[in-house]
Amino acid sequence: MTEDNASQPDAPQVGVGPWTGPWPVSEHFDPELLRDGDRRNVVDRYRYWKHSAIVADLDASRHDFHVGVENWQHDLNIGSVVRTANAFNAAAVHIVGRRRWNRRGAMVTDRYQHIIHHPSIDDLLQWCSENAVPLIGIDNFPDSVPLETYDLPRRSLLLFGQEGPGLSEEAHQASTAVLSIAQYGSTRSMNAAAAAAITMHSWIRRHVYDQPVA
C-alpha cells in the first residue's frame, strides 16, 4: 500500500514489488523494502532507499529558498504547500502560528521536508535576521509589486497568508517586499496553495534555469 493511498484499500498499488535477483550492496538500501517491495510516493531513483538516506540526499541539493505559511485558523492549504515545496526541494517550510496543521494534503511528503514552527511573526523575523534570509510576502495589496517583474533573491523566505484573509497586517509590514501574481479573471484572489506553487516555480525559473525577469 502506498503512503498516500493507505486509507483506500481498493486503490491500485503503485511503486515496485520485492527486489528480484541478488540484493544490491549499499548502505542506503532498506532491507525491509527490498524484501517486501516499495509502495511509497517517491521518484524511481529513491526506490528501496531508506528514509534517512533519501532525506540526506535531498539535503545535499536543497535550494536556497524557504516557504512560510501563516496558520492562525488551521488552514487546510498547508499540506498542499508542503507537497509543492518538496517537489521543488525547498530548504524548509515554516509554519507561523498554530503548530498543528492538516497533513492530509502533504501526501506524506512532510517526512522528507524540513518543517520549522514559529509561534509568531516576531519569531519568524528573528529567524530571518539570524540567518540573513529576506522575508518576501505574497499577496495582492495596493502596495504590492508584480511577481512577474521582481527579481526574487536567491536566499529568501516566501511567506503566504491563509485562505481568505491573506497575509496578516503584521506580516505585511514586516516583509522586505510584497509581491502580487497577475490575474485576469473576475476573482480578487486565487487559492493560497496555487499562489505558492506559482511563486516557487518562479524562483526555480530564475535561479535554476537563469531566466531573467521581464
Side-chain angles (χ1 to χ4, degrees):
M1 197 66 64
T2 63
E3 291 173 327
D4 54 351
N5 68 1
S7 63
Q8 304 175 38
D10 297 327
Q13 288 190 335
V14 298
V16 291
W19 184 278
T20 57
W23 281 13
V25 180
S26 177
E27 290 188 357
H28 67 258
F29 286 110
D30 187 316
E32 291 187 4
L33 295 174
L34 291 169
R35 182 193 66 204
D36 301 331
D38 188 352
R39 304 297 181 180
R40 299 172 300 174
N41 178 27
V42 296
V43 295
D44 288 344
R45 71 180 297 260
Y46 290 140
R47 290 295 177 201
Y48 303 110
W49 282 36
K50 297 176 182 176
H51 170 261
S52 59
I54 295 175
V55 173
D57 193 63
L58 291 171
D59 285 347
S61 60
R62 289 196 192 273
H63 292 123
D64 289 330
F65 75 93
H66 296 245
V67 179
V69 189
E70 292 190 287
N71 185 35
W72 308 115
Q73 300 173 8
H74 201 60
D75 192 346
L76 298 178
N77 284 280
I78 293 177
S80 295
V81 174
V82 170
R83 186 179 183 184
T84 303
N86 169 265
F88 292 131
N89 206 17
V93 174
H94 300 250
I95 309 298
V96 185
R98 295 187 178 183
R99 180 180 292 274
R100 295 187 62 185
W101 54 280
N102 190 320
R103 284 170 163 76
R104 185 175 180 84
M107 305 293 273
V108 199
T109 55
D110 54 303
R111 293 188 62 202
Y112 307 92
Q113 182 66 57
H114 297 300
I115 309 291
I116 302 173
H117 174 249
H118 302 275
S120 67
I121 289 294
D122 286 343
D123 187 74
L124 176 67
L125 290 174
Q126 181 177 348
W127 183 94
C128 288
S129 176
E130 291 173 352
N131 292 275
V133 176
L135 183 67
I136 308 294
I138 312 296
D139 209 330
N140 57 350
F141 292 116
D143 62 343
S144 297
V145 298
L147 168 67
E148 294 78 12
T149 59
Y150 186 83
D151 194 7
L152 285 169
R154 175 176 288 277
R155 284 179 59 79
S156 53
L157 193 153
L158 310 172
L159 180 63
F160 301 86
Q162 54 190 41
E163 195 69 24
L167 278 181
S168 65
E169 184 58 25
E170 188 177 8
H172 179 192
Q173 296 301 323
S175 297
T176 300
V178 179
L179 312 181
S180 61
I181 298 170
Q183 298 177 204
Y184 301 95
S186 61
T187 183
R188 68 168 298 276
S189 64
M190 66 176 64
N191 176 271
I198 291 169
T199 308
M200 283 185 255
H201 193 251
S202 295
W203 189 99
I204 294 293
R205 291 181 61 186
R206 174 66 185 89
H207 293 290
V208 175
Y209 292 94
D210 198 28
Q211 294 184 6
V213 297

